[in-house]
């Protein structure tokens, strides 16, 4: 059935011939654009000449790369159609164009007065990792992150917080899997003004990519053994969990060093408490 709103030509408007030409924008490194046809959004990693012609490589916030041809009116920049072109000179040195979370950095921005809404995480290590990657974003949004030292008392903490209109609570939980104690507690407190999300990892340590830490993978630790101490033993590290965490945290420079299962959940919480 033919729509009465659109004609028989289903070509997107920005690809139809005629009309005003789209402005040309140099595909400089770290420029964030959206490919008009697929909707893939990412930062420019490189622009190069190939056998098929000029291409641009984009990297999304999860570290995924995709290559696209540099065609007229092929991209959107801040919602407007543009034509990406190869930079005429050498690429400028990589600067602080984006925050550690992948967001566009707002230069000279002051921290916003804290909202009543909050994000709670289980422990100090969780809070430090969230601050390292999303700290700039949270200050601009006025979101405070606090830690609970476990979630056994979460129902009482939620009741004391008294969530409601304009006062939302987001909670990040470790090892949130169906059938677990954590899942039962989360289900009991989730509501219109409370969102509990979690990642599948036993501890926030595992949310850091092994390659970023310089290891082949996170070792398996049998039940009954203290998990963090077991990790240190199997990696040949001193059994000193504060020192081990300091080493792990120092290996995180940006969202690229974290597993997608954590990235998505933290972004979901930030959207929830700022919505």
């Amino acid at each position: 059935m033919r729509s009465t709103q659109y004609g028989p030509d289903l070509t997107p408007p920005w690809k139809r011939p005629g009309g005003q030409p789209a402005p040309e924008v140099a595909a400089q490194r770290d420029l964030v654009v959206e490919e008009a046809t697929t909707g893939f959004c990412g930062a420019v990693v490189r622009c190069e000449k190939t056998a098929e012609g000029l291409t641009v490589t984009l990297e999304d916030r999860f570290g995924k790369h995709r290559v696209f041809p540099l065609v007229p009116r092929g991209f959107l920049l801040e919602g407007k159609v543009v034509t990406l072109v190869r930079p005429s000179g050498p690429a400028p040195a990589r600067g602080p164009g984006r925050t550690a979370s992948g967001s566009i950095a707002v230069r000279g921005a002051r921290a916003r007065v804290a909202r009543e809404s909050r994000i709670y995480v289980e422990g100090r290590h969780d809070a430090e990792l969230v601050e390292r990657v999303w700290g700039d974003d949270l200050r601009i949004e006025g979101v405070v992150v606090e830690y609970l030292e476990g979630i056994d008392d979460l129902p009482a903490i939620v009741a004391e917080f008294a969530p409601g209109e304009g006062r939302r609570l987001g909670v990040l939980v470790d090892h949130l899997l169906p059938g677990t104690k954590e899942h039962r507690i989360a289900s009991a407190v989730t509501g219109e003004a409370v969102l509990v999300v979690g990642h599948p990892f036993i501890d926030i340590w595992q949310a850091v990519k092994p390659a970023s830490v310089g290891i082949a993978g996170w070792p398996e630790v049998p039940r009954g053994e203290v998990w963090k101490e077991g990790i240190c033993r199997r990696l040949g590290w001193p059994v000193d969990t504060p020192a081990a965490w300091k080493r792990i945290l120092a290996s995180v420079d940006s969202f690229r060093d974290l597993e997608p299962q954590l990235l998505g959940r933290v972004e979901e919480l930030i959207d929830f408490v700022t919505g």
Side-chain angles (χ1 to χ4, degrees):
M1 182 174 66
R2 179 177 297 177
S3 168
T4 57
Q5 184 177 359
Y6 300 99
D9 183 4
L10 299 181
T11 304
W14 55 82
K15 290 206 168 183
R16 293 176 187 168
Q20 294 296 322
E24 293 187 350
V25 176
Q28 300 285 8
R29 187 181 180 93
D30 285 338
L31 179 72
V32 178
V33 295
E34 176 184 343
E35 203 278 326
T37 302
T38 64
F40 186 89
C41 184
V44 173
V45 175
R46 58 182 171 272
C47 184
E48 58 192 343
K49 187 175 182 180
T50 68
E52 289 76 29
L54 293 176
T55 65
V56 62
T57 302
L58 303 183
E59 179 184 56
D60 70 6
R61 68 187 315 152
F62 301 114
K64 181 179 180 181
H65 286 198
R66 287 191 63 177
V67 180
F68 298 100
L70 287 183
V71 297
R73 306 175 69 83
F75 297 86
L76 303 178
L77 176 62
E78 297 180 351
K80 297 181 180 180
V81 179
V82 298
T83 296
L84 286 188
V85 296
R86 192 179 188 184
S88 57
R94 189 185 182 106
R98 291 195 291 166
T99 67
S101 72
S103 301
I104 297 176
V106 181
R107 300 180 186 277
R110 295 183 179 181
R112 177 175 175 171
V113 175
R115 298 173 184 263
E116 290 190 51
S117 299
R118 291 286 187 274
I119 292 177
Y120 287 172
V121 296
E122 281 204 54
R124 181 170 59 85
H125 292 180
D126 306 69
E128 290 175 345
L129 187 60
V130 170
E131 162 62 27
R132 189 170 185 91
V133 176
W134 288 275
D136 290 339
D137 307 74
L138 293 170
R139 278 182 285 278
I140 289 176
E141 293 291 348
V143 177
V144 175
V145 175
E146 302 179 11
Y147 63 90
L148 304 169
E149 293 290 5
I151 67 164
D152 289 349
D153 297 326
L154 186 58
I157 292 170
V158 171
E160 182 180 358
F161 181 81
E165 183 67 28
R167 185 176 171 81
R168 293 184 172 188
L169 179 60
V171 185
L172 178 68
V173 178
D174 296 342
H175 203 230
L176 188 62
L177 300 173
T180 61
K181 173 191 72 174
E182 291 82 1
H183 191 270
R184 291 192 294 272
I185 293 174
S187 299
V189 301
T190 298
E192 186 175 341
V194 179
L195 175 65
V196 182
V197 301
H199 55 74
F201 308 114
I202 295 174
D203 189 90
I204 198 69
W205 288 19
Q206 285 184 312
V208 181
K209 291 180 178 179
S212 297
V213 185
I215 59 177
W218 291 106
E220 294 288 334
V221 177
R223 286 181 175 272
E225 184 176 356
V226 178
W227 189 84
K228 290 179 180 177
E229 294 179 0
I231 289 293
C232 292
R233 292 188 188 98
R234 285 159 180 79
L235 291 177
W237 298 353
V239 182
D240 182 343
T241 54
W245 171 243
K246 186 176 181 180
R247 177 176 182 170
I248 295 167
L249 186 62
S251 70
V252 177
D253 293 319
S254 74
F255 71 96
R256 297 179 180 85
D257 297 305
L258 302 183
E259 299 289 359
Q261 295 95 320
L262 176 66
L263 292 173
R265 301 293 72 75
V266 176
E267 296 286 348
E268 186 177 355
L269 288 179
I270 295 174
D271 288 344
F272 178 75
V273 300
T274 59

